[in-house]
Amino acid sequence: MRICESVAEMRKARVLMRQDRRVGLVPTMGALHEGHLSLVRAARAQCDSVVVSIFVNPLQFGPSEDLAKYPRPFERDRELLEREKVDILFTPSVDDMYPKNAVTYVTLEGMSEKLCGRSRPGHFRGVTTVVAKLFHIIEPELAFFGQKDAAQCAIIRRMVRDLNFPVEIVVGPIVREPDGLAMSSRNAYLSPQERKSALVLYRALGEVQKRFDQGERNTERLVETGKQVLSQEPGARVDYLETVDPDTLDPTSEIRSETLVAVAAFVGGTRLLDNILLSPK
Ligand code: AMP
């Protein structure tokens, strides 16, 4: 596995891959777990060359968020990716990615403010800007993202369509711990007690799924069901639980087509996400 620590090195390495028909990119912030590795394996199976980026992107963190304490276990990540037979690990520095006085951003008007964008102003602008830059630097034919961040997937798909990026977006399913908790690098922040409380997100979505399977199609009642479960866990504080169109992220009132049920909640100081897709037959 070759490690490219700068944009210039990455570009040089990309030139050497010109003969490859399918270059796959898996963008990450590191602290890798099975969720990330499932995307790497999908890329390995579908592409001639696989590039994984590890970049803790300051632009997508708010001023009071966890940028400084975000885990950065580089050696462990490197070994995991080596084992998955990744071709290139791209680990640029912040100064290299964001030259002084950079003033250009990618914003999806009306979409960047939905779901996580409401409580994390600037978050999706940070995500779309860095992903657009990664697409330009690496020029992948395919890019792999996790359904765990469903709003991010919708936003990236829309950016690719609106700005004509020649990239196919592949979305991998949510990888969970054996008890159902969605894997996340931020789970490492949880104390044993918080780890137990964190399961309430999965339980709430499970209850919504159950009501839906019993025939409930009214989203207000489905949301109420989920919120009730969440309210029973004193260790958790809901940020949002919403039913939205999985492509536009617009709220839905009656489930007539595939609908995303997305939840974000704080457990202690840690903000966790989870979601399910409801599909009426
Ligand atoms: P992150 O390092 O958190 O920015 O995540 C990098 C990529 O891995 C994103 O596309 C995430 O959606 C994806 N990802 C994170 N957690 C999971 C998970 N539990 N299952 C599947 N994909 C995931």
Side-chain angles (χ1 to χ4, degrees):
M1 182 173 72
R2 178 164 172 193
I3 300 180
C4 295
E5 293 182 337
S6 70
V7 171
E9 250 181 280
M10 182 62 233
R11 281 199 194 281
K12 262 193 221 151
R14 182 64 180 90
V15 171
L16 298 177
M17 291 191 281
R18 280 287 170 241
Q19 77 286 2
D20 292 348
R21 284 203 6 259
R22 286 154 82 86
V23 172
L25 167 66
V26 184
T28 82
M29 298 205 300
L32 303 177
H33 50 65
E34 281 296 316
H36 298 112
L37 297 181
S38 70
L39 298 177
V40 173
R41 285 173 201 141
R44 189 66 281 170
Q46 295 179 45
C47 302
D48 302 306
S49 290
V50 176
V51 181
V52 174
S53 61
I54 296 184
F55 181 62
V56 183
N57 175 31
L59 206 59
Q60 70 190 67
F61 286 77
S64 59
E65 292 181 355
D66 56 341
L67 174 63
K69 77 162 182 177
Y70 198 84
R72 291 165 170 88
F74 179 73
E75 261 318 300
R76 183 175 173 275
D77 287 350
R78 190 188 60 72
E79 274 169 33
L80 288 170
L81 295 175
E82 194 102 55
R83 244 180 270 161
E84 299 297 333
K85 308 214 176 322
V86 166
D87 297 285
I88 293 182
L89 169 56
F90 179 45
T91 57
S93 67
V94 172
D95 290 347
D96 199 19
M97 280 297 269
Y98 296 111
K100 243 196 205 132
N101 304 327
V103 289
T104 309
Y105 302 96
V106 179
T107 311
L108 277 69
E109 289 189 19
M111 247 179 130
S112 294
E113 300 78 27
K114 298 211 166 116
L115 298 177
C116 295
R118 203 170 324 117
S119 41
R120 302 185 71 190
H123 170 68
F124 284 131
R125 182 182 80 150
V127 170
T128 41
T129 301
V130 82
V131 170
K133 288 167 71 73
L134 291 170
F135 285 178
H136 284 308
I137 295 162
I138 298 160
E139 296 179 22
E141 272 77 23
L142 286 84
F144 296 77
F145 293 87
Q147 175 66 19
K148 155 84 181 344
D149 298 277
Q152 173 170 285
C153 291
I155 282 173
I156 301 287
R157 277 198 304 260
R158 182 64 72 90
M159 175 186 82
V160 162
R161 194 202 70 174
D162 288 358
L163 296 182
N164 305 91
F165 279 96
V167 183
E168 183 187 326
I169 302 300
V170 183
V171 176
I174 302 180
V175 178
R176 299 179 178 282
E177 298 287 354
D179 64 1
L181 179 69
M183 287 194 182
S184 162
S185 304
R186 290 189 166 100
N187 291 350
Y189 298 151
L190 302 171
S191 69
Q193 185 53 47
E194 289 169 346
R195 173 65 183 73
K196 281 186 198 145
S197 303
L199 256 191
V200 74
L201 281 81
Y202 181 64
R203 271 207 311 279
L205 291 173
E207 209 48 41
V208 172
Q209 178 78 59
K210 197 167 118 199
R211 285 289 297 272
F212 175 77
D213 292 342
Q214 289 165 352
E216 182 62 80
R217 293 293 180 269
N218 177 283
T219 58
E220 226 171 274
R221 284 194 289 271
L222 288 168
V223 164
E224 197 40 51
T225 300
K227 283 194 172 160
Q228 203 147 19
V229 177
L230 285 158
S231 70
Q232 285 157 14
E233 175 50 67
R237 181 168 57 81
V238 194
D239 181 6
Y240 64 75
L241 191 152
E242 283 185 51
T243 54
V244 299
D245 179 296
D247 293 320
T248 62
L249 305 181
D250 287 333
T252 52
S253 55
E254 201 73 30
I255 300 188
R256 290 197 201 89
S257 55
E258 191 172 59
T259 298
L260 174 70
V261 186
V263 59
F266 286 94
V267 176
T270 308
R271 193 167 171 284
L272 300 175
L273 303 183
D274 204 345
N275 68 81
I276 51 172
L277 282 167
L278 299 177
S279 314
K281 303 210 169 62

